[in-house]
Structure formats: structure tokens, C-alpha cells
Amino acid sequence: MRGFSTHLRVSIALSLFLLGGFSPATQENGLNADVPGGTISGKQVDGTTVFLGVPYAAPPVGDLRWKAPQPVVPWEGVRDATQTAPACMQNDEGWNHGAWLRASEDCLTLNIHTPSRDGKLPVMVFIHGGGEVAGSADIMTDSTFPQHGVVGVDVQYRLGALGFMSHPALSAEQGGHSGNYGIMDLIAALEWVQANISSFGGDPDNVTIFGESAGSMNVSLLLAVPDAQGLFDKAIMQSANFWSLGPDYRSLAAAEKIGTQFGELAGAQTAEDLRRISPVAIMTLQQQLTDPEWASLIWTVVTLDGQTIPSSPAGLIVKNSPKPVILGTNKAEFGPADDAGIADYADLFFGDNAAAALAAYREEQADPRRGDLRLRLGSDQVFHCATDKLADLLAGHGWPVWRYEYDIGEDGGLTAHALELGDVFHRREIGNGAHMQDYWAALAVTGDPNGATLVSSDRPGWDGWDPAAPRQLALSMAATEMEPGKPRARFCAFAAGD
């Protein structure tokens, strides 16, 4: 993956030759910008400038399928950047129906939302969620973050089998490693931001990455992997990290077995065979895959491929320079769909402690805002425990860490997974007159969620996380206030491997 920077420089040089010169400055037409590959033209939206579907790498199709992202392919004339680009290939999960309808393998693009193309403004790069199998970059350009004086970017990356599959034939052609192409895409996008965001008023030396759900897990991986270091300065993780499925990871050998299973379903043995399969067939076949250890959790399990993710993320992350980090969860996220799934969750997270853990859950006189046993079990073990554990690890190694718990539901009901996105991307007032977005933007602008931005208001202070005396910010409609941290520690203690 480190070779991408060299390829990027070659691409820029080629663009210089084709375009007769390259200038990062704003063109005479304020809606045009020169980028690697050619000239793009954006549009004005409510006093800000938006560029949609900007390529940051070549289309990963044909011989480039299941390979590291390659340099942008130059185009002639001015490329229209006013329309939403296709999402990456995915199946219809219901909530992502719109993205599914316009999905394509040619999807390595990003969107930019800037309040000004002059100066050096903080940059916020959002990574969408969707279980590594669905989703698209379509939220940052509709947000109110530019009011704070920040440049917003959101990124698309390969999903499902196309983004994360390993296979022995692919490993053989790629130096003994394969998989994690979606993570490589995100690194390539951040390299593009470093090289080009100044053309859009952004400061490459002040970049915050943030994500929700699988996007948050990817943020945690980017904090860890060597190839991403130096590409951003701060991070926000909303509802997931690399510990969300427990302390174990998938080995390359185990991942290659899944890839072999895929090849057998497709009648494909060689890399050439794999690349001849239609993208529609790939999406269909990936739904038939199973993992003897992780069941249907095929693409959300972290694979240690030996190169992009060379070893345990927890071991990698503590070797890196500390960065300011916000991380947190929703009070209620999700759990097993039915009672039959309770045993599966218990076996996955508790191992030999499953019976004792379930007994403790059944005996608990729970806060009704945390929901029933299924909801408490899933919310704790996938989200709360992993978040507390990562907060402890980072703060224990000198990272500035702020932990939150969000508890705002629809019409006063329980909160749920991803419901915080509305308050993150739109500046809406919550308890004590606070705005969740102000904390996020302040981290990007100042490195501290208590800092000031162009439009932030006075709000309750947010104390940093101390593993010895943990406290977190409770966000609700009734109040925004500090409270004791680790309220689910009793149940986290049952986790296998801890």
C-alpha cells in the first residue's frame, strides 16, 4: 500500500503533462478545480461549494479488481461534479435501497463540502457505516458542519467480497497477502486529501477522521495500521471499534478458506477466473458464504492479512503517536433478533462464562432506558464494553480521550444504533442547550471538544477519560452532563479473554 503515494505522484505528473500545467489555486470559474486526472466543476449550495463524485483512485474493475487502489485515470474536458456518484456494489438490505439502486464497481470517489476555498480550514473526513457490506458517501455534503468553518469530506470504499475477500490465488500474486482492499481504499482517499484538499480551502495538517458503526471500526483500524499514520490528526468513533466482536481476529489462512469457499461456489480457482465473475454474481454468492467460527459475520471480522493490517490492531495502535479522540456509544444499540440468538451471542462473547453471564443479565433490575435482555446483551458486548476497553487503552498510553453515551430516541422512546447521526450532522439543540455537533466540530477545529468554533455555543464541560476514575458525557434531551463511566462494567467482566 505504501506504493500508492508513488503512483499518486506519477498520476499528478501525468495530469501536468495532459493539462499543460497544474495549479492548486481556484480557477477563474470559482466552481472549477484542478485535481489529479483533470478539471472538475462543482456547484453552490446555500453559500457553500460542493463537489460530488470526485475520483481518488482508478475504477477497481477488470484487472484492477481485488488489487490495491491505483492512480486516477485522466479525463478530457471538465468533469461534472454536481451529481451523486454511484455507491459501491452491495445487496439490498432495505435501509440502503437507494444506494443499492445506483451501485457500481466504479465507485472510488469522495465528496467535498467547503464553506470557502481560501485559507486553511480544518478538515473532517467521514467514513460511512453499513457492516462493511452496504452504505454510501452521501451525508457530509448535506450537513451543517461548514457553519463551523470546516471542510467536510465523505468517502466511498469497496464493500463485501469486493472490498475484503482474501483468496490463495490473490495472495500468490500479491506477495503472500490479500484482502482488506476497502481499508486500502480509505488510506488512498486520505492520501488524496493530503495532496489536494488545499485546493478546496482545507488544511492537510489538520484532518479529523470520523465514522459510525463499521465506519467507526474502520477509523479505529486507521488509528492502528502503519500505512495510515501521518494522514490525519484526530479521530471520532461512534459505536464500534476493532474490539466490537471480541478479542480475537481472523487469520489470513482462515480468510483464504472463505475465499476458497467463494471460488468453489463460482467455479473459479485462479485470480483471472475470479476477475471474470460478474459483480452481480459476486453480490449473490457472498450471501451464501459461512464461517465455521464467526457464522454469518463474514466481512465485519477483522482479518490480519500480514500487510495492510500486519498484526493485532491493539498492539499496533499503542506504538503510534497519541491523537485526540472522541469515542462513544448509544445507550441502546441493537441485540439478537430473537431469543434463539441470545445463546449465539453468549457463546461468542462469554465462552465458558456464558451461563453465569446470562444468569446475571436475567437477574438484573435494569434501567428501562437500556431495553430488554436482548438489547442490553448486544449493546453491552458489541459496543459499550469494546468502547470502554479502547478508551482505557488509549488514555493509558497518553492519548487525550473523551467518552460519551447518547440517549435520545424517536418521540421519547429508546435510542437505537445510528440514531445519533441526526444530531451529529445537523446542529440540533439537546439537553442544557448543548449541540452535539459543537463538540465534534470543536475537536476538529481546536483538538478539544470543549473548544470554540465559528458558531458553537456555551455548553457543559466534557472531562477527559481517566481509566482510574472514568467519567463520560451523557447526552440526552433532559440534560447534557458528566456521569460516572463504565456503567456496564459488571457485564463486561464476563467477556471471554478478559
Side-chain angles (χ1 to χ4, degrees):
M1 186 59 210
R2 287 188 174 91
F4 183 84
S5 293
T6 300
H7 291 309
L8 184 61
R9 288 192 291 270
V10 171
S11 177
I12 293 172
L14 181 59
S15 297
L16 278 164
F17 175 78
L18 293 174
L19 295 171
F22 176 82
S23 171
T26 303
Q27 302 295 301
E28 288 185 10
N29 177 352
L31 297 180
N32 283 5
D34 291 336
V35 294
T39 301
I40 58 174
S41 181
K43 62 182 178 180
Q44 289 286 321
V45 178
D46 297 330
T48 64
T49 307
V50 173
F51 297 85
L52 303 177
V54 182
Y56 66 84
V61 301
D63 289 341
L64 298 185
R65 180 191 284 173
W66 287 309
K67 286 185 179 178
Q70 298 299 304
V72 172
V73 177
W75 58 86
E76 295 183 358
V78 178
R79 181 183 176 116
D80 180 27
T82 65
Q83 303 297 318
T84 301
C88 289
M89 288 297 298
Q90 55 197 276
N91 288 307
D92 188 359
E93 309 282 342
W95 63 269
N96 66 320
H97 185 73
W100 169 73
L101 286 173
R102 54 182 176 81
S104 168
E105 261 194 287
D106 180 359
C107 64
L108 298 187
T109 61
L110 50 78
N111 303 324
I112 303 166
H113 191 188
T114 180
S116 172
R117 294 181 62 186
D118 297 321
K120 297 178 68 175
L121 301 175
V123 181
M124 298 185 73
V125 179
F126 183 70
I127 302 172
H128 71 77
E132 310 289 33
V133 296
S136 62
D138 58 6
I139 192 169
M140 195 65 173
T141 47
D142 291 327
S143 79
T144 54
F145 272 113
Q147 295 177 6
H148 297 270
V150 302
V151 176
V153 178
D154 50 4
V155 180
Q156 302 199 138
Y157 55 101
R158 284 172 281 182
L159 303 167
L162 288 166
F164 294 91
M165 189 177 78
S166 302
H167 189 280
L170 299 175
S171 296
E173 74 169 15
Q174 294 168 29
H177 314 280
S178 62
N180 287 321
Y181 303 104
I183 302 302
M184 297 183 202
D185 293 342
L186 293 172
I187 295 170
L190 291 172
E191 290 180 330
W192 190 100
V193 167
Q194 283 294 308
N196 298 283
I197 203 63
S198 59
S199 298
F200 303 89
D203 182 358
D205 295 323
N206 188 1
V207 176
T208 299
I209 62 172
F210 68 127
E212 185 270 338
S213 193
S216 178
M217 181 180 292
N218 292 335
V219 168
S220 74
L221 291 171
L222 292 169
L223 284 166
V225 299
D227 286 345
Q229 302 315 299
L231 299 178
F232 60 94
D233 311 280
K234 293 163 283 236
I236 302 171
M237 290 167 277
Q238 300 167 214
S239 297
N241 63 60
F242 52 67
W243 269 324
S244 287
L245 296 178
D248 298 324
Y249 306 104
R250 182 184 285 135
S251 67
L252 177 60
E256 288 179 338
K257 289 181 179 178
I258 296 172
T260 299
Q261 181 188 156
F262 175 90
E264 291 172 348
L265 289 170
Q269 295 183 332
T270 68
E272 292 75 15
D273 291 339
L274 291 168
R275 293 188 176 111
R276 281 194 289 267
I277 305 169
S278 76
V280 173
I282 291 171
M283 292 297 99
T284 300
L285 292 174
Q286 78 175 26
Q287 294 180 297
Q288 302 174 33
L289 298 174
T290 59
D291 183 333
E293 183 176 1
W294 299 95
S296 62
L297 296 171
I298 303 296
W299 311 117
T300 48
V301 177
V302 176
T303 293
L304 306 184
D305 64 273
Q307 183 169 319
T308 302
I309 307 178
S311 58
S312 164
L316 293 170
I317 203 169
V318 297
K319 298 176 183 177
N320 296 331
S321 299
K323 300 172 181 65
V325 166
I326 289 172
L327 74 175
T329 51
N330 294 354
K331 193 163 191 171
E333 296 268 6
F334 62 69
D338 51 41
D339 289 344
I342 292 176
D344 293 336
Y345 265 63
D347 289 341
L348 174 63
F349 289 104
F350 304 130
D352 293 341
N353 296 330
L358 288 180
Y361 271 104
R362 291 188 174 104
E363 294 168 0
E364 181 188 17
Q365 299 297 309
D367 177 352
R369 297 291 303 171
R370 295 196 181 276
D372 62 14
L373 188 154
R374 284 183 289 150
L375 188 51
R376 286 180 279 126
L377 173 63
S379 300
D380 289 350
Q381 301 307 320
V382 179
F383 301 102
H384 295 291
C385 301
T387 298
D388 289 344
K389 188 174 179 180
L390 184 56
D392 279 353
L393 177 72
L394 297 179
H397 283 81
W399 294 50
V401 175
W402 294 268
R403 166 68 156 105
Y404 74 88
E405 184 174 87
Y406 177 88
D407 184 21
I408 299 175
E410 295 178 347
D411 300 322
L414 299 184
T415 191
H417 192 59
L419 275 190
E420 87 286 358
L421 288 173
D423 285 315
V424 168
F425 285 95
H426 299 280
R427 192 169 178 269
R428 304 192 301 212
E429 185 172 313
I430 60 174
N432 295 107
H435 301 82
M436 193 172 181
Q437 188 182 90
D438 289 0
Y439 291 110
W440 267 230
L443 183 84
V445 173
T446 71
D448 186 327
N450 298 292
T453 74
L454 290 178
V455 298
S456 62
S457 59
D458 291 339
R459 56 199 182 277
W462 190 349
D463 300 336
W465 183 266
D466 178 356
R471 290 176 62 77
Q472 62 192 22
L473 185 68
L475 299 159
S476 74
M477 291 306 296
T480 298
E481 60 189 1
M482 296 302 299
E483 67 177 11
K486 297 187 178 180
R488 309 303 289 166
R490 174 191 173 196
F491 300 95
C492 297
F494 286 106
D498 290 346

mmCIF file of all heavy atoms in Angstrom, residues 295-315:
data_model
loop_
_atom_site.group_PDB
_atom_site.id
_atom_site.type_symbol
_atom_site.label_atom_id
_atom_site.label_comp_id
_atom_site.label_asym_id
_atom_site.label_seq_id
_atom_site.Cartn_x
_atom_site.Cartn_y
_atom_site.Cartn_z
ATOM 1 N N ALA A 295 -19.773 -17.653 11.890
ATOM 2 C CA ALA A 295 -21.100 -17.811 11.293
ATOM 3 C C ALA A 295 -21.281 -16.817 10.142
ATOM 4 O O ALA A 295 -20.499 -16.812 9.207
ATOM 5 C CB ALA A 295 -22.184 -17.668 12.353
ATOM 6 N N SER A 296 -22.296 -15.959 10.217
ATOM 7 C CA SER A 296 -22.591 -15.047 9.113
ATOM 8 C C SER A 296 -21.787 -13.750 9.169
ATOM 9 O O SER A 296 -21.912 -12.897 8.286
ATOM 10 C CB SER A 296 -24.089 -14.713 9.106
ATOM 11 O OG SER A 296 -24.450 -14.050 10.302
ATOM 12 N N LEU A 297 -20.959 -13.581 10.205
ATOM 13 C CA LEU A 297 -20.167 -12.353 10.325
ATOM 14 C C LEU A 297 -18.932 -12.478 9.437
ATOM 15 O O LEU A 297 -17.806 -12.668 9.907
ATOM 16 C CB LEU A 297 -19.768 -12.120 11.780
ATOM 17 C CG LEU A 297 -20.927 -11.880 12.754
ATOM 18 C CD1 LEU A 297 -20.419 -11.882 14.187
ATOM 19 C CD2 LEU A 297 -21.618 -10.566 12.430
ATOM 20 N N ILE A 298 -19.154 -12.369 8.138
ATOM 21 C CA ILE A 298 -18.082 -12.634 7.194
ATOM 22 C C ILE A 298 -17.137 -11.442 7.048
ATOM 23 O O ILE A 298 -15.925 -11.560 7.201
ATOM 24 C CB ILE A 298 -18.658 -13.009 5.813
ATOM 25 C CG1 ILE A 298 -19.581 -14.227 5.932
ATOM 26 C CG2 ILE A 298 -17.522 -13.287 4.826
ATOM 27 C CD1 ILE A 298 -18.888 -15.494 6.364
ATOM 28 N N TRP A 299 -17.691 -10.283 6.776
ATOM 29 C CA TRP A 299 -16.845 -9.153 6.388
ATOM 30 C C TRP A 299 -16.593 -8.165 7.518
ATOM 31 O O TRP A 299 -15.731 -7.275 7.375
ATOM 32 C CB TRP A 299 -17.458 -8.435 5.185
ATOM 33 C CG TRP A 299 -17.842 -9.394 4.108
ATOM 34 C CD1 TRP A 299 -19.102 -9.644 3.632
ATOM 35 C CD2 TRP A 299 -16.984 -10.285 3.384
ATOM 36 N NE1 TRP A 299 -19.080 -10.613 2.664
ATOM 37 C CE2 TRP A 299 -17.790 -11.032 2.489
ATOM 38 C CE3 TRP A 299 -15.607 -10.532 3.407
ATOM 39 C CZ2 TRP A 299 -17.272 -11.998 1.628
ATOM 40 C CZ3 TRP A 299 -15.089 -11.487 2.550
ATOM 41 C CH2 TRP A 299 -15.905 -12.200 1.675
ATOM 42 N N THR A 300 -17.320 -8.256 8.636
ATOM 43 C CA THR A 300 -17.081 -7.333 9.747
ATOM 44 C C THR A 300 -15.982 -7.819 10.686
ATOM 45 O O THR A 300 -15.500 -7.050 11.518
ATOM 46 C CB THR A 300 -18.372 -7.113 10.562
ATOM 47 O OG1 THR A 300 -18.975 -8.374 10.848
ATOM 48 C CG2 THR A 300 -19.357 -6.256 9.796
ATOM 49 N N VAL A 301 -15.585 -9.074 10.565
ATOM 50 C CA VAL A 301 -14.488 -9.585 11.383
ATOM 51 C C VAL A 301 -13.161 -9.086 10.801
ATOM 52 O O VAL A 301 -12.918 -9.193 9.597
ATOM 53 C CB VAL A 301 -14.500 -11.127 11.423
ATOM 54 C CG1 VAL A 301 -13.308 -11.657 12.218
ATOM 55 C CG2 VAL A 301 -15.803 -11.626 12.038
ATOM 56 N N VAL A 302 -12.303 -8.540 11.645
ATOM 57 C CA VAL A 302 -11.026 -8.001 11.194
ATOM 58 C C VAL A 302 -10.097 -9.144 10.793
ATOM 59 O O VAL A 302 -9.884 -10.087 11.559
ATOM 60 C CB VAL A 302 -10.374 -7.144 12.291
ATOM 61 C CG1 VAL A 302 -8.991 -6.671 11.858
ATOM 62 C CG2 VAL A 302 -11.269 -5.952 12.638
ATOM 63 N N THR A 303 -9.539 -9.063 9.586
ATOM 64 C CA THR A 303 -8.571 -10.041 9.102
ATOM 65 C C THR A 303 -7.161 -9.474 9.212
ATOM 66 O O THR A 303 -6.881 -8.386 8.706
ATOM 67 C CB THR A 303 -8.852 -10.419 7.638
ATOM 68 O OG1 THR A 303 -10.090 -11.124 7.556
ATOM 69 C CG2 THR A 303 -7.744 -11.312 7.087
ATOM 70 N N LEU A 304 -6.286 -10.212 9.860
ATOM 71 C CA LEU A 304 -4.879 -9.829 9.951
ATOM 72 C C LEU A 304 -4.185 -10.389 8.714
ATOM 73 O O LEU A 304 -3.734 -11.537 8.695
ATOM 74 C CB LEU A 304 -4.245 -10.377 11.233
ATOM 75 C CG LEU A 304 -4.967 -10.018 12.542
ATOM 76 C CD1 LEU A 304 -4.171 -10.537 13.737
ATOM 77 C CD2 LEU A 304 -5.193 -8.524 12.667
ATOM 78 N N ASP A 305 -4.114 -9.576 7.666
ATOM 79 C CA ASP A 305 -3.605 -10.056 6.381
ATOM 80 C C ASP A 305 -2.090 -10.074 6.306
ATOM 81 O O ASP A 305 -1.512 -10.610 5.355
ATOM 82 C CB ASP A 305 -4.157 -9.193 5.244
ATOM 83 C CG ASP A 305 -3.667 -7.756 5.329
ATOM 84 O OD1 ASP A 305 -4.300 -6.944 6.018
ATOM 85 O OD2 ASP A 305 -2.637 -7.459 4.713
ATOM 86 N N GLY A 306 -1.421 -9.484 7.318
ATOM 87 C CA GLY A 306 0.034 -9.501 7.340
ATOM 88 C C GLY A 306 0.679 -8.327 6.650
ATOM 89 O O GLY A 306 1.897 -8.151 6.720
ATOM 90 N N GLN A 307 -0.100 -7.490 5.984
ATOM 91 C CA GLN A 307 0.465 -6.344 5.287
ATOM 92 C C GLN A 307 -0.279 -5.061 5.634
ATOM 93 O O GLN A 307 0.248 -4.196 6.333
ATOM 94 C CB GLN A 307 0.448 -6.568 3.783
ATOM 95 C CG GLN A 307 1.086 -5.426 2.993
ATOM 96 C CD GLN A 307 1.302 -5.796 1.539
ATOM 97 O OE1 GLN A 307 1.709 -6.906 1.212
ATOM 98 N NE2 GLN A 307 1.027 -4.868 0.648
ATOM 99 N N THR A 308 -1.510 -4.898 5.130
ATOM 100 C CA THR A 308 -2.275 -3.698 5.480
ATOM 101 C C THR A 308 -2.558 -3.672 6.977
ATOM 102 O O THR A 308 -2.384 -2.642 7.638
ATOM 103 C CB THR A 308 -3.588 -3.658 4.676
ATOM 104 O OG1 THR A 308 -3.275 -3.680 3.282
ATOM 105 C CG2 THR A 308 -4.363 -2.388 4.984
ATOM 106 N N ILE A 309 -3.045 -4.779 7.511
ATOM 107 C CA ILE A 309 -3.196 -4.952 8.961
ATOM 108 C C ILE A 309 -2.221 -6.053 9.351
ATOM 109 O O ILE A 309 -2.553 -7.244 9.374
ATOM 110 C CB ILE A 309 -4.641 -5.313 9.347
ATOM 111 C CG1 ILE A 309 -5.622 -4.301 8.747
ATOM 112 C CG2 ILE A 309 -4.795 -5.341 10.867
ATOM 113 C CD1 ILE A 309 -7.081 -4.609 9.034
ATOM 114 N N PRO A 310 -0.976 -5.704 9.639
ATOM 115 C CA PRO A 310 0.063 -6.720 9.807
ATOM 116 C C PRO A 310 -0.052 -7.552 11.072
ATOM 117 O O PRO A 310 0.427 -8.689 11.111
ATOM 118 C CB PRO A 310 1.362 -5.907 9.803
ATOM 119 C CG PRO A 310 0.957 -4.528 10.202
ATOM 120 C CD PRO A 310 -0.430 -4.337 9.670
ATOM 121 N N SER A 311 -0.678 -6.998 12.096
ATOM 122 C CA SER A 311 -0.789 -7.722 13.363
ATOM 123 C C SER A 311 -1.942 -7.122 14.161
ATOM 124 O O SER A 311 -2.680 -6.271 13.661
ATOM 125 C CB SER A 311 0.530 -7.652 14.145
ATOM 126 O OG SER A 311 0.903 -6.295 14.388
ATOM 127 N N SER A 312 -2.087 -7.538 15.402
ATOM 128 C CA SER A 312 -3.196 -7.088 16.239
ATOM 129 C C SER A 312 -3.303 -5.566 16.264
ATOM 130 O O SER A 312 -2.329 -4.875 16.576
ATOM 131 C CB SER A 312 -3.007 -7.600 17.670
ATOM 132 O OG SER A 312 -3.832 -6.898 18.572
ATOM 133 N N PRO A 313 -4.482 -5.003 15.934
ATOM 134 C CA PRO A 313 -4.635 -3.540 15.973
ATOM 135 C C PRO A 313 -4.312 -2.946 17.336
ATOM 136 O O PRO A 313 -3.768 -1.840 17.411
ATOM 137 C CB PRO A 313 -6.103 -3.334 15.598
ATOM 138 C CG PRO A 313 -6.461 -4.531 14.791
ATOM 139 C CD PRO A 313 -5.693 -5.667 15.405
ATOM 140 N N ALA A 314 -4.654 -3.655 18.401
ATOM 141 C CA ALA A 314 -4.367 -3.122 19.734
ATOM 142 C C ALA A 314 -2.868 -2.980 19.953
ATOM 143 O O ALA A 314 -2.401 -2.012 20.571
ATOM 144 C CB ALA A 314 -4.980 -4.022 20.798
ATOM 145 N N GLY A 315 -2.102 -3.948 19.460
ATOM 146 C CA GLY A 315 -0.654 -3.856 19.579
ATOM 147 C C GLY A 315 -0.057 -2.785 18.701
ATOM 148 O O GLY A 315 0.938 -2.148 19.069
#
